[in-house]
Amino acid sequence: MATLTLPEDSYRELYGPTPSYMPSGGWDTREPDKLVKTHCCFCGVQCGIQLKVKDNKVIGFEPWEEFPVNQGKLCPKGVKRYMQNEHPDRLLAPLIRNHEGFRDATWYEALRTTPKAIKDVQATYGKDAFAFLGGASMTNEKAYLNGKFSRIALGTANIDYNGRLCMVSAGAANRMAFGVDRAANPWSDIPLAKAIVLTGTNLAECFPILTDCVWRARDNGARIIVIDPRVTPIARTADLFLPVRPGRDSALAHGILHVMIEHGWIDEKFIAEHTHDFDKVRDLAKKYSPQVAEKITGVPAKNIIKAAEIWGPVETSMLLHARGIEHHTKGVENVLSYINLVLASGRIGKPGCGYGTITGQGNGQGGREHGQRCNQLPGGRDINKPADRQFIADFWGIPEAELPKQGLTACEIIDAIERGEIKGLLSISFNPLVSIPDSNRTRAALEKLEFFACIDFFLSETARYADVVFAGSLQEEDEGTVTTGEGRCVRLRNLVPPPGYAWLDWKIICELADLLGKGQFFKYRKPEEIFTELTAASKGGPIDYRGMTYQKIEQNMGVFWPCPSREHPGTPRLFEGGKFHHPDGKAKFHAYEYRPPAEDVDAEYPIFFTSGRVVSQYLSGTQTRRIGSLLDQYPEPLCEIHPLLAGKLGIKDRDLVKVTTRRGEMTLPAQVVKRIRPDRVFIPYHWAGKKAANQLTNRALDPISKIPEYKVCACRVEKVAEAPKAVTSLNGLHRLIAKTPNSRASTM
Ligand SMILES: Nc1nc2c(c(=O)[nH]1)N[C@H]1C(S)=C(S)[C@@H](COP(=O)(O)OP(=O)(O)OC[C@H]3O[C@@H](n4cnc5c(=O)[nH]c(N)nc54)[C@H](O)[C@@H]3O)O[C@H]1N2
Ligand SMILES: Nc1nc2c(c(=O)[nH]1)N[C@H]1C(S)=C(S)[C@@H](COP(=O)(O)OP(=O)(O)OC[C@H]3O[C@@H](n4cnc5c(=O)[nH]c(N)nc54)[C@H](O)[C@@H]3O)O[C@H]1N2
Ligand code: SF4
Ligand SMILES: [Mo]
């Protein structure tokens, strides 16, 4: 296919001058003052990277080849991550809203206003009427601090975090099946597997560096099964691709198990010695013959049999999944149904044998371990267990009765604001207006708040609704630790100070605690002191970091938990010798019948709608929509639609289409591609306002994990206009918008 090339000068004309945050000529080739080993700020792979610092600015990167996970490799986002550092939109001072809009404020004003407003809300409506929302892009230290701040300084039960939108279905299922929530294997086990199932993950776009482990497995003779309703880049290379109908995974897993049992491809000895409840699952699987499973899932029976033939008899295997099976009202049931396949094979807890959910956010793993969840205390302790409550109350030096009980989850907090039960909110590292389903309702809720404060380094779409915005810190401005998707706790380095009058996040939280009268609990001089405290708080808990120190983590390029003592080397592979983390050491099978999604297709809304990601953008986009060269790769959301469906609706590539669900509508260009099933459309969710996929999605929650059903609802699609003639100049316009300093308003 011919590609359009433009001479350098006309490119400039179209896109304007190179903005100040991007060194002219592209790469900055100046000799750096220092080169610092740290990690990428984006996904849960947490690739090692060396950042170049000159005059207190991050000016570029070098590969860090010794870090074992990525060995110097980086994906497009990792390569461009440093470009946020000098972005003109960076918040440099706190903002306070008055009747005319935001104005720059002093820290004195922002810090006096906020505790007063918190106290007013709590005095009038009760402690729980003030909620806290945290995030899993932040360090372990900040995750711990958020939980302690909410319970002690705010005294509220209502603290939760954005991981509630992410891997909580897997977390709950892992605890139910294995008694612990962590990937069972280090990623170095992937190349040793002879069969790999990847289900509900667009691996090559979302975890590009992990794809390398799968290639290495294939070089070693592994066969790869991909289960996804879209032919994603990894699916194109699979040995077997199962294009499942959205929301039907549990039926597919039962169908595969049916064939495994029929052929005796199960490990009876392992099942008898190390598990409970297989009989219930055997009875259930009997009902899901390949033909029955085909009817539900749309996957031909012969391919279900083929999957069992590949997975059943091999010696080593790994099953990996991400949000495609978890973002459902039965996300936990889907995950448990796939775990059944792993337990039945007996291939877990050995080299090249295991299972894992691929954690999404940078600290998606650590962010869910140290107590910023509504049902959790540090060390993965349970807020509802009397002994766990007593341990943490004693550790913090407060009476157990003062420790709040379990509160609401993230989406439930937004619902409670909508109902007028929660009146105040402090949010850090979370952009719910873009990321929570049914954004029209989220916006209405934010408008109802009597007081709302946000801590961010950019004015996110959510922050625009705040009364006070605190200018917080970027990853490279602070230090601390994060725990990668394989359970390896690694060290992040402080490279540069926050610019202007921005502050370190943890200092803002500690200062607020002090002004709320609880300063004696938050006397930290540096993040290392918070880390030492969190490791002590985790002692003897389900998630034990007790034996970790900054020094040990650095020396070993990360330490895997559990690590209960200084001498302990850490635990890369869980469940060795078939020892699971339930009190009796056994794993549990779970038998859940398939049940349909909360909203199925019907005559009025006949097409499935689903949402997810593209390689060059990250989450709600606040960070990556500000990096022009990433935006170039995918400037605006497109509606993926199969040629058969497009033909039926009279839609051609790049025509403008209106997608409507029971909650809202959006108009966007169509992308006619064969990689999607003809019964569904897909829209990536990294944009805001009228371009937000979450105008359409359904806020129905999984009853156990409380994750929303992002991956399936029902929609209608209509053509509204022909493709504009000059599509390329439209893209140019987007690039210009993204790079101009006043992009705040224009990216809405
Ligand atoms: N480029 C990029 N990388 C990222 C992120 C990002 O925003 N951008 N975010 C990070 C985060 S926080 C996360 S959580 C991960 C997410 O990583 P993934 O879960 O891999 O990505 P998604 O695009 O959300 O969805 C995964 C796949 O699930 C498929 N799917 C949808 N419905 C179903 C179903 O019913 N069954 C099955 N089997 N599959 C289904 C979709 O077609 C899609 O290909 O990525 C991380 N990495
Ligand atoms: N339709 C649809 N919606 C989805 C999904 C989907 O697949 N489809 N996926 C869901 C998933 S898996 C996830 S994880 C969520 C993510 O949703 P969000 O967590 O809302 O998305 P982020 O872009 O991470 O927003 C975080 C905000 O925190 C800021 N931030 C990042 N790091 C820091 C930090 O260290 N300190 C401070 N102070 N601020 C920081 C960023 O600038 C940004 O404004 O979206 C969910 N929403
Ligand atoms: S794979 Fe993830 S951690 Fe690695 S460079 Fe890409 S975004 Fe960063
Ligand atoms: Mo996520």
Side-chain angles (χ1 to χ4, degrees):
M1 195 176 74
T3 50
L4 177 72
T5 50
L6 291 168
E8 185 65 20
D9 281 345
S10 60
Y11 192 83
R12 287 247 163 78
E13 212 169 278
L14 192 59
Y15 296 141
T18 313
S20 63
Y21 67 91
M22 197 173 141
S24 56
W27 304 108
D28 192 329
T29 51
R30 286 177 298 162
E31 191 59 30
D33 300 333
K34 56 181 176 181
L35 200 56
V36 186
K37 293 187 173 74
T38 186
H39 293 270
C40 175
C41 60
F42 295 128
C43 87
V45 181
Q46 286 298 292
C47 293
I49 187 170
Q50 301 192 76
L51 292 179
K52 290 178 174 175
V53 179
K54 176 97 186 157
D55 302 333
N56 273 335
K57 307 250 158 64
V58 182
I59 60 162
F61 73 97
E62 288 282 340
W64 175 11
E65 278 159 12
E66 299 76 38
F67 187 69
V69 173
N70 61 314
Q71 298 165 354
K73 293 182 277 293
L74 294 165
C75 84
K77 291 183 301 306
V79 164
K80 301 282 160 63
R81 47 116 35 233
Y82 73 94
M83 288 183 172
Q84 302 168 78
N85 190 246
E86 269 197 87
H87 197 283
D89 285 356
R90 183 65 202 277
L91 294 175
L92 301 176
L95 302 174
I96 289 186
R97 176 193 296 285
N98 59 22
H99 60 279
E100 288 173 333
F102 283 120
R103 64 174 173 83
D104 282 350
T106 62
W107 280 97
Y108 181 84
E109 279 178 287
L111 284 167
R112 288 292 175 273
T113 315
T114 302
K116 183 179 175 310
I118 294 172
K119 284 181 191 161
D120 285 350
V121 165
Q122 293 191 317
T124 316
Y125 304 105
K127 292 261 181 200
D128 292 344
F130 199 94
F132 186 102
L133 288 173
S137 290
M138 288 181 290
T139 58
N140 291 323
E141 288 77 356
K142 291 189 239 177
Y144 173 81
L145 202 59
N146 291 343
K148 186 174 176 188
F149 173 82
S150 300
R151 270 71 182 237
I152 293 183
L154 295 176
T156 182
N158 292 320
I159 166 175
D160 208 46
Y161 79 132
N162 63 9
R164 188 66 63 187
L165 317 178
C166 192
M167 355 35 43
V168 285
S169 296
N174 280 221
R175 280 192 301 278
M176 288 163 75
F178 307 125
V180 68
D181 168 21
R182 203 206 92 181
N185 300 66
W187 289 321
S188 54
D189 270 347
I190 300 173
L192 308 178
K194 293 292 180 210
I196 297 178
V197 169
L198 298 167
T199 179
T201 177
N202 181 359
L203 191 80
E205 292 204 68
C206 295
F207 308 98
I209 299 305
L210 271 194
T211 316
D212 185 62
C213 294
V214 177
W215 297 155
R216 278 188 276 148
R218 218 178 35 186
D219 290 346
N220 296 338
R223 284 196 288 169
I224 319 290
I225 303 172
V226 173
I227 306 172
D228 197 304
R230 292 162 67 221
V231 195
T232 59
I234 192 85
R236 281 200 282 276
T237 68
D239 295 277
L240 179 65
F241 170 56
L242 308 180
V244 65
R245 262 186 210 131
R248 270 74 180 159
D249 282 85
S250 55
L252 183 62
H254 300 335
I256 297 173
L257 187 62
H258 178 102
V259 184
M260 282 168 69
I261 295 172
E262 219 172 45
H263 288 80
W265 290 323
I266 56 170
D267 187 338
E268 297 277 9
K269 186 167 178 290
F270 178 90
I271 292 170
E273 287 173 9
H274 301 291
T275 69
H276 291 295
D277 293 343
F278 182 63
D279 289 347
K280 290 181 196 157
V281 169
R282 190 197 297 267
D283 291 346
L284 177 76
K286 254 190 209 135
K287 296 193 248 172
Y288 290 81
S289 67
Q291 291 69 28
V292 171
E294 169 174 342
K295 262 214 180 107
I296 301 172
T297 63
V299 177
K302 69 173 193 321
N303 286 345
I304 296 175
I305 297 169
K306 231 189 232 166
E309 284 168 354
I310 294 175
W311 175 262
V314 284
E315 299 230 310
T316 55
S317 63
M318 293 281 291
L319 190 145
L320 301 166
H321 59 82
R323 307 305 85 77
I325 66 162
E326 301 167 31
H327 278 161
H328 294 274
T329 46
K330 50 184 187 303
V332 177
E333 294 162 33
N334 283 342
V335 176
L336 287 167
S337 305
Y338 280 115
I339 289 176
N340 289 344
L341 296 183
V342 178
L343 289 175
S345 74
R347 294 188 300 263
I348 186 160
K350 291 182 278 191
C353 291
Y355 154 86
T357 182
I358 316 172
T359 287
Q361 297 143 291
N363 196 21
Q365 182 65 49
R368 66 186 196 252
E369 296 174 349
H370 308 294
Q372 64 170 334
R373 299 156 52 123
C374 65
N375 52 348
Q376 186 202 52
L377 292 171
R381 289 186 163 84
D382 185 342
I383 203 162
N384 295 311
K385 270 199 190 152
D388 284 1
R389 294 175 61 81
Q390 195 61 54
F391 179 92
I392 292 296
D394 292 348
F395 183 82
W396 284 342
I398 58 168
E400 187 272 328
E402 274 180 27
L403 198 58
K405 301 263 166 13
Q406 173 169 346
L408 299 173
T409 60
C411 293
E412 291 173 326
I413 286 176
I414 302 293
D415 291 345
I417 296 171
E418 194 181 18
R419 291 194 303 271
E421 289 163 21
I422 289 179
K423 302 283 191 181
L425 178 67
L426 174 59
S427 162
I428 178 167
S429 192
F430 197 164
N431 191 9
L433 182 54
V434 180
S435 56
I436 284 188
D438 206 348
S439 39
N440 293 325
R441 273 176 63 199
T442 310
R443 184 177 298 106
L446 293 175
E447 279 171 354
K448 272 184 106 167
L449 283 167
E450 288 189 10
F451 179 76
F452 177 27
C454 246
I455 309 176
D456 207 310
F457 40 74
F458 289 131
L459 190 67
S460 71
E461 289 75 15
T462 304
R464 289 172 210 189
Y465 288 79
D467 298 289
V468 178
V469 182
F470 292 100
S473 47
L474 265 184
Q475 191 222 38
E476 53 265 41
E477 292 156 9
D478 201 354
E479 60 174 345
T481 58
V482 293
T483 304
T484 73
E486 56 177 353
R488 182 200 298 256
C489 182
V490 297
R491 189 89 158 75
L492 296 181
R493 299 308 221 136
N494 169 11
L495 286 82
V496 291
Y501 298 101
W503 267 27
L504 298 177
D505 290 337
W506 66 268
K507 284 202 170 160
I508 301 172
I509 300 274
C510 291
E511 200 62 32
L512 286 172
D514 193 31
L515 293 163
L516 287 163
K518 300 288 180 180
Q520 74 271 29
F521 297 99
F522 297 87
K523 295 231 170 297
Y524 309 106
R525 284 163 303 175
K526 50 183 183 171
E528 190 168 7
E529 293 181 354
I530 308 176
F531 186 73
T532 307
E533 183 176 311
L534 89 78
T535 59
S538 77
K539 183 183 169 193
I543 298 173
D544 199 333
Y545 277 56
R546 182 70 191 111
M548 291 192 207
T549 61
Y550 275 8
Q551 204 190 8
K552 181 167 165 179
I553 293 168
E554 240 164 85
Q555 276 166 358
N556 296 286
M557 296 211 195
V559 177
F560 290 78
W561 67 264
C563 176
S565 67
R566 287 287 139 85
E567 304 70 46
H568 195 287
T571 316
R573 188 180 301 111
L574 300 178
F575 319 140
E576 281 186 299
K579 285 197 193 74
F580 295 94
H581 290 213
H582 283 303
D584 65 358
K586 292 193 176 184
K588 281 199 185 98
F589 282 94
H590 290 267
Y592 280 104
E593 288 279 3
Y594 160 75
R595 60 186 173 92
E599 188 179 78
D600 224 332
V601 288
D602 57 20
E604 204 183 342
Y605 298 97
I607 302 163
F608 286 114
F609 172 79
T610 190
S611 59
R613 298 158 162 79
V614 295
V615 67
S616 53
Q617 287 297 311
Y618 191 64
L619 302 182
S620 72
T622 10
Q623 296 174 261
T624 43
R625 273 186 277 124
R626 288 189 161 85
I627 299 178
S629 44
L630 286 179
L631 205 59
D632 281 351
Q633 295 179 30
Y634 203 111
E636 60 179 339
L638 300 172
C639 176
E640 264 184 27
I641 181 168
H642 192 278
L644 283 176
L645 180 59
K648 237 168 74 185
L649 300 170
I651 294 166
K652 291 189 299 304
D653 193 42
R654 295 309 192 270
D655 281 354
L656 284 182
V657 295
K658 185 162 87 178
V659 183
T660 312
T661 68
R662 288 191 172 82
R663 287 140 310 266
E665 58 177 55
M666 71 187 283
T667 301
L668 74 172
Q671 185 183 32
V672 181
V673 277
K674 285 192 184 145
R675 66 171 169 254
I676 187 159
R677 285 181 60 101
D679 56 1
R680 71 179 339 214
V681 293
F682 169 89
I683 301 178
Y685 88 102
H686 312 288
W687 289 265
K690 297 249 173 279
K691 293 181 184 173
N694 278 324
Q695 296 174 98
L696 307 178
T697 45
N698 188 3
R699 203 184 288 171
L701 306 181
D702 179 293
I704 301 172
S705 69
K706 304 293 170 86
I707 209 168
E709 190 146 70
Y710 291 116
K711 291 293 187 267
V712 46
C713 67
C715 75
R716 183 169 70 224
V717 180
E718 313 149 70
K719 171 170 164 171
V720 292
E722 296 281 326
K725 290 265 162 1
V727 173
T728 47
S729 62
L730 238 186
N731 287 352
L733 184 67
H734 281 282
R735 186 184 153 116
L736 195 64
I737 286 169
K739 285 185 172 176
T740 42
N742 59 357
S743 60
R744 289 169 185 175
S746 39
T747 47
M748 271 298 272

